[in-house]
Amino acid sequence: MLVVILDYQMPGMNGDRVASQMRRVKPGVPILMLSAYSELPPNELSCLDAFLDKGEPWPTVVSTLDRLLNLRFPFFVRWLEDWKHQFSG
């Protein structure tokens, strides 16, 4: 199970270009972009599954990751949750 987290400003290449290239190579992998730029053009967000401002609180980031994983891998996420409950006491 894999989720890719990108920043918009990266050395040598913007995050939207990286996301676009990743979509061609691994189309099923969810991509989340975290950026200080809160208003990016819609065409630069088209390859993303989610976009969050870097100022978002940690629970928002975690719930977004959870949502992305549930969309792409619902069986595995349910299995993992059941497994955690078995060993949590």
Side-chain angles (χ1 to χ4, degrees):
M1 181 162 15
L2 176 69
V3 172
V4 174
I5 301 173
L6 298 172
D7 189 352
Y8 180 72
Q9 287 292 337
M10 297 171 40
M13 186 181 291
N14 285 342
D16 64 315
R17 286 195 211 148
V18 173
S20 177
Q21 290 181 2
M22 290 185 67
R23 279 285 178 244
R24 286 192 290 272
V25 176
K26 293 281 188 178
V29 174
I31 301 173
L32 166 63
M33 184 178 289
L34 292 173
S35 181
Y37 297 100
S38 58
E39 294 186 27
L40 295 175
N43 64 321
E44 295 190 14
L45 302 173
S46 63
C47 289
L48 306 175
D49 293 291
F51 175 86
L52 293 174
D53 188 277
K54 283 186 178 178
E56 292 289 338
W58 184 244
T60 302
V61 176
V62 171
S63 68
T64 301
L65 289 171
D66 185 48
R67 179 180 58 81
L68 292 175
L69 290 172
N70 277 314
L71 286 174
R72 303 287 177 126
F73 308 102
F75 171 78
F76 182 78
V77 172
R78 286 193 306 272
W79 175 84
L80 183 60
E81 286 301 314
D82 290 343
W83 184 81
K84 285 194 282 188
H85 288 293
Q86 284 181 349
F87 295 100
S88 66

